Amino acid sequence: MKNYFKAVNLFNDFLSLLSVIVLIVVPILYAYYAEFAPIEMRDILYNLSLIFVFIVMIIRPLANLFPRSVILRPLILLRKGFGTLSAAIIIAFVLAKVLEIGASYLLNYTEEEFWRFDNFSFYGHLGDVTGLILLVTSNDYARRVMGNWWKRIQKLAYVYFYSGTYFVYAAFVKDWALYLMIVATVLIVAAFIKNHWPKKKELASS
C-alpha cells in the first residue's frame, strides 16, 4: 500500500508537469505554427480535457460509495493532477488566441455578444473562466492564502464540468458528452444520499 501511495503521488506530479508543458507548447504551436499541428489534434485535446475533468468528478463519489476499497481512496489525490491538466488544455487555447490576436482578445469576455445562448457559446466561455480560476488556485500557495475560501472556490469544478460537458454535447452534438454528464450526476447524487441518509435516520430515531 505504501508503494501504491507513492506511485499515485508520482503520477500526480507527472500530470502537473504535463500541465505546464501544455501551457507552454500548445499556445505557441497554435499561434505561430498551426500548419504543423495535426488537424485532429485540437479535438483530441478538448476531448481529453473533458475526460480528465470527468475523472475528477467521479473519483470522490466512487470512493465514498465503496469506502472499503483500498484502491479508490488513494486515487482521490489524483483529482488535483487531472483537474489541473484539464483546465490547462482549455486555457492553453485561450492563450493561443491571445498570442495570435493580442491581449485585446480578452476584451471579448466583457462583450454581451460573446456570451450568447443561442449558439451555446455562453457555456463554452463559462468553462474558460471557471477553468482559469481553478487552474490559478490549484496549488498549495493559494490553499494557504485563501484558507476556508479555497474549498468554496474549488467547488467551481462542478460549474466547469457541467458547462463544458453541455457545450460539447449541445454545440457539437456529441452524445458521449451527455453520457459522461449522466454518469457523473448519478454517482454524485448516490454518494450524497449515502453520506447523508444515515445521519437523517439517526436524527429521526433519537
Side-chain angles (χ1 to χ4, degrees), residues 139-150:
N139 55 76
D140 293 334
Y141 175 76
R143 187 169 189 168
R144 290 196 303 270
V145 171
M146 300 179 71
N148 292 333
W149 275 98
W150 185 83

Side-chain angles (χ1 to χ4, degrees), residues 115-123:
W115 296 87
R116 292 169 54 188
F117 285 95
D118 57 348
N119 63 356
F120 308 107
S121 60
F122 173 87
Y123 303 99

Side-chain angles (χ1 to χ4, degrees), residues 103-120:
S104 59
Y105 172 77
L106 297 176
L107 294 177
N108 289 325
Y109 286 88
T110 65
E111 300 291 335
E112 183 178 349
E113 183 69 14
F114 205 60
W115 296 87
R116 292 169 54 188
F117 285 95
D118 57 348
N119 63 356
F120 308 107

